[in-house]
Amino acid sequence: MVTNALVILGLVGILAGGVAARAVRLHIHRASLRWWRVQRVPILVGAICAAILSGATYSMNASTRIVGIPFPAAAFEKHGDVWMDFVGAMTLPLLLANAAFFLLMPQIPVLLWLRTRARREARQKNLHT
């Protein structure tokens, strides 16, 4: 149940982050801002979160650990003293999807900041005309 909710959150997050990244790019271009100046902090935060959290593990129950947030990339199950892994062909793509999720999520607050900035500038422009 928790895993399904995380997967849905991951899909929505990648979609929303991708849309936000495109909108940020357009806002930066329209406002003639320097790309690196706007994007350096979100990219750094996203890269750090991707590096730390893409391979994070959590317990599903007492004997099962899942690797990957929000997409479960691998599972490890304890049978007695032996841990068995469930790693397959989708492990690497899911780890990359986790990294994409964390790289794209910081674009949403950047978009909100740029929109607020654009509204404020438009308001000030209207006051002066």
Side-chain angles (χ1 to χ4, degrees), residues 26-34:
L26 292 174
H27 273 281
I28 290 172
H29 180 70
R30 283 187 199 138
S32 299
L33 299 170
R34 290 191 178 125

Side-chain angles (χ1 to χ4, degrees), residues 7-76:
V7 169
I8 292 169
L9 172 72
L11 291 173
V12 170
I14 286 178
L15 181 64
V19 169
R22 175 127 172 98
V24 164
R25 192 172 130 222
L26 292 174
H27 273 281
I28 290 172
H29 180 70
R30 283 187 199 138
S32 299
L33 299 170
R34 290 191 178 125
W35 179 84
W36 182 246
R37 192 166 186 184
V38 174
Q39 290 287 47
R40 67 179 173 221
V41 171
I43 289 174
L44 183 64
V45 168
I48 290 170
C49 288
I52 293 171
L53 297 173
S54 292
T57 64
Y58 60 93
S59 292
M60 188 79 160
N61 55 41
S63 64
T64 305
R65 298 207 43 87
I66 304 294
V67 176
I69 295 173
F71 300 105
F76 295 91

Side-chain angles (χ1 to χ4, degrees), residues 78-103:
K78 189 171 186 176
H79 293 283
D81 290 339
V82 178
W83 284 92
M84 297 186 68
D85 64 338
F86 296 95
V87 177
M90 290 302 294
T91 297
L92 183 59
L94 288 172
L95 286 173
L96 293 174
N98 288 332
F101 173 81
F102 290 110
L103 283 170

